[in-house]
Each structure stands twice: as structure tokens, then as C-alpha cells.
Amino acid sequence: MTDLQARVKLLLPGLAISAVVAVAAMFLAEHYGAPVMLFALLLGMALNFLTQEEGGQATRSAAGIDFVARQVLRLGVALLGLRITADQVLALGWQPVAMVVLAVALTIGVGIVLARLMGFQMFFGLLTGGAVAICGASAALALSAAMPQHPRKGQATLFTVIGVSTLSTLAMVLYPMVTNALGMDAVAAGYFIGGTIHDVAQVVGAGYSLSHEAGDAATLVKLIRVAMLLPVIALAALLTRRQMLANGEAMSGPRPPLLPWFAVAFALLVVVNSTGWLPAALVGAGKSASQWCLIASMAAIGMKTHLKDILTVGWKPVALMVLETVFLAALFYGLLQTLA
């Protein structure tokens, strides 16, 4: 048996289990209307026994599940670049782009400051702030992949995914009513929804529930927020590298690159997709593959985590994410009023 065959045999059980859970999560999300990432996480956590036997011994599926949680996750993040083109950015004009850049930067900054005030590490503020400011669960997974290893990293990532998915669902219901109450026109309402709701699917749902014009505006603004994933991943990688260099032997593992390979691939795919060279069918397949990878990796991360770890987080992380969400909404509304 060759090394490749042995590797495939080792990973196949975990890969198959992660794929089955991803299919189940997508089925449930389609039929019940809840975030697919949340279903993938909960189903994965229910199968936690697949990664560890009694006595701490790894199961046959553990290696494949770990591979999905790490490498397949990175592939899914890289393929997110196929969602964005330069034409989409240029079509909005400078004002919405400036609002998005400012809102993302300030929300992450506030998240880091609040996290430190609450006694958390800076990286937890960057993780939650980035998830709230950019694109919800996908951003949480991408940022987590670029951050240093830590005993509670998996717990922090899972909590962030649960929190941001829940808040995004609430925002999808509430924000259209807020825009109507504030008397926003269709475009302004679309900008607000696209600039504040966390997950892409919820932005689309909320935007088009108002009107086609609002839905188009919301989707475009949201894609600009997704594009901000690249510089924020680069920031996370830079901070990780600095911490590892500063701590020396305190941080295990090799030094990370200045920019993770999946961030480079993300940028390259944005550039290539902007040229129009890629067939529409290939772009569509890449988008679907990205979604599959992220859902499967979320399921795998859930399988590696114990429910009791999530239940011990306390009220402070909840308060942190709620404050970040409220800050983003208030800030974006203020920017809309200022730049209108």
C-alpha cells in the first residue's frame, strides 16, 4: 500500500461522516429555515463520541474529522473569493465602500477593547468582532484558522459561531421592521441590512423581504463586507506571528507565514473572477464547493467539542457579542445619515 493510499484509508471514515452530517444540516436548514451552520454545529456536537473513545484513545474517524476541521475549512475560505468581483465593488461607488471599511475596522477595534476590559485575550475580541463585522460564521471559521493554537480555541470558535448565527437570525427578523420604522427608502434600507446583518443568507432574506431594490443593495454591500475578510485575516496572521515570536518556546508549532495560503488563494480567486475568464458554471460550482467545505468543517469542529465546554462560558461572551452587534447597527445607521 502506497503512502497516498494509506493516507486516504486513514482519513476516509472521518471525511464520510463529516459529509453525511453536512448533508443532514443542509436538509434541516432548507426545511426549517434556521442557519445551516448552526445545524451543522449541533449535529456535530451530538456525534462527539466519534472522535474519542473511553480512556482518551482516538477513534478510527478522528483523523479524518480533524482533517476536515482544519484543511477542508481553509479550502472553503479560499473559495469564498469566487463570490466577489471588482465590478461589484465599483458599482456601489465610494460612499458605501467607505462605510463598510470604517464600520468593519471600528467594530473589530471595539470588540478587542471590550474583550480586554472583560478579561479575555485580544484574539477573542478579534474573533467575535470579525464575525460580527464581516460575514458571521464563515468569518469566525476563517479567523480561527489564522489564529494561534490555544487550549480553548475550539470552544471560543464554537461559541462565536452559535452567538453570531443566533444574532444574525434575530436581526433578519427585526431589522426590516427597524428600517420601516425609521422611514428609510429602499436603497438606504438595503445598505443598512447589508452593512449590519452577520450572515450572507440572512442578509439576502431580509433585503428581498422589503423589495427587489433593497435586496440588490443589501447583497452588494454584504459582498463588500465579505471582501474585508482578506485584510482582517492578514491582521490575525500578523498578530499571531508577533505573539509566537514574542513568546518563543511558549507557543508550540512552526512559525506561521506572513499571510496564510488560503488568504492568498482567496485574493487570487477574487482577481481571476473579476476578469470574467471563468465560466459561470465553474464559478457556481466553486461557490457550492465553498459552502460544502464550510458546513462540513463546522460539523467536524462540533464533533471535536464537548457540550459542557460551551455551557461554561458564562455571560460575558454573550454580552460582548450583543454589544458588538448593537454598536455595528448604531454606527452604520449614523454613517448612512452622515453620508446621505
Side-chain angles (χ1 to χ4, degrees):
M1 183 181 295
T2 65
D3 291 342
L4 178 59
Q5 290 174 325
R7 179 69 171 164
V8 170
K9 184 177 180 180
L10 178 67
L11 298 179
L12 190 57
L15 291 171
I17 291 168
S18 299
V20 169
V21 176
V23 171
M26 293 183 73
F27 175 83
L28 291 172
E30 183 177 341
H31 284 77
Y32 294 100
V36 65
M37 290 292 187
L38 191 57
F39 275 124
L41 171 61
L42 295 176
L43 290 174
M45 291 174 67
L47 298 174
N48 173 263
F49 63 90
L50 293 172
T51 59
Q52 197 172 66
E53 296 176 347
E54 291 187 15
Q57 297 296 319
T59 63
R60 286 184 56 204
S61 57
I65 291 171
D66 186 68
F67 178 83
V68 175
R70 294 177 182 270
Q71 301 306 324
V72 175
L73 165 60
R74 289 161 171 78
L75 177 61
V77 173
L79 291 173
L80 284 174
L82 291 173
R83 294 190 180 191
I84 306 164
T85 66
D87 288 341
Q88 291 171 333
V89 178
L90 295 174
L92 282 175
W94 71 269
Q95 287 184 327
V97 175
M99 286 191 292
V100 166
V101 172
L102 187 59
V104 169
L106 290 178
T107 301
I108 291 175
V110 166
I112 291 174
V113 171
L114 289 176
R116 296 297 294 162
L117 290 174
M118 291 180 177
F120 300 118
Q121 288 190 2
M122 170 196 65
F123 284 105
F124 186 60
L126 177 58
L127 179 65
T128 58
V132 167
I134 302 174
C135 55
S138 298
L141 294 173
L143 290 170
S144 176
M147 290 179 178
Q149 292 300 318
H150 185 274
R152 305 190 73 179
K153 178 180 175 180
Q155 178 185 356
T157 303
L158 284 174
F159 172 80
T160 302
V161 169
I162 292 173
V164 80
S165 297
T166 302
L167 290 169
S168 186
T169 302
L170 290 173
M172 178 182 67
V173 176
L174 295 176
Y175 285 6
M177 294 187 287
V178 170
T179 60
N180 285 329
L182 294 174
M184 295 183 182
D185 60 35
V187 173
Y191 284 175
F192 178 79
I193 286 171
T196 55
I197 296 180
H198 311 322
D199 286 314
V200 175
Q202 278 81 354
V203 166
V204 172
Y208 285 105
S209 71
L210 290 173
S211 68
H212 187 80
E213 188 178 8
D216 288 346
T219 302
L220 287 174
V221 170
K222 183 60 182 178
L223 290 175
I224 305 307
R225 288 171 68 193
V226 175
M228 290 296 294
L229 190 59
L230 179 61
V232 177
I233 288 175
L235 173 63
L238 177 62
L239 293 174
T240 297
R241 184 179 178 87
R242 284 186 176 180
Q243 177 168 318
M244 294 181 73
L245 291 175
N247 292 353
E249 296 299 323
M251 298 294 292
S252 60
R255 293 178 181 178
L258 291 175
L259 197 61
W261 69 264
F262 59 88
V264 176
F266 177 95
L268 290 175
L269 287 175
V270 171
V271 172
V272 173
N273 194 33
S274 299
T275 64
W277 296 342
L278 298 177
L282 182 59
V283 173
K287 291 178 181 178
S288 297
S290 174
Q291 183 183 29
W292 273 97
C293 289
L294 292 175
I295 295 171
S297 63
M298 190 70 258
I301 291 172
M303 289 181 224
K304 296 176 62 178
T305 304
H306 294 279
L307 178 60
K308 64 181 181 181
D309 293 334
I310 302 299
L311 297 178
T312 58
V313 297
W315 64 270
K316 286 185 178 180
V318 178
L320 174 62
M321 294 196 68
V322 170
L323 289 172
E324 290 167 345
T325 299
V326 172
F327 174 81
L328 176 61
L331 173 63
F332 212 88
Y333 178 71
L335 291 173
L336 279 172
Q337 298 303 304
T338 301
L339 297 178

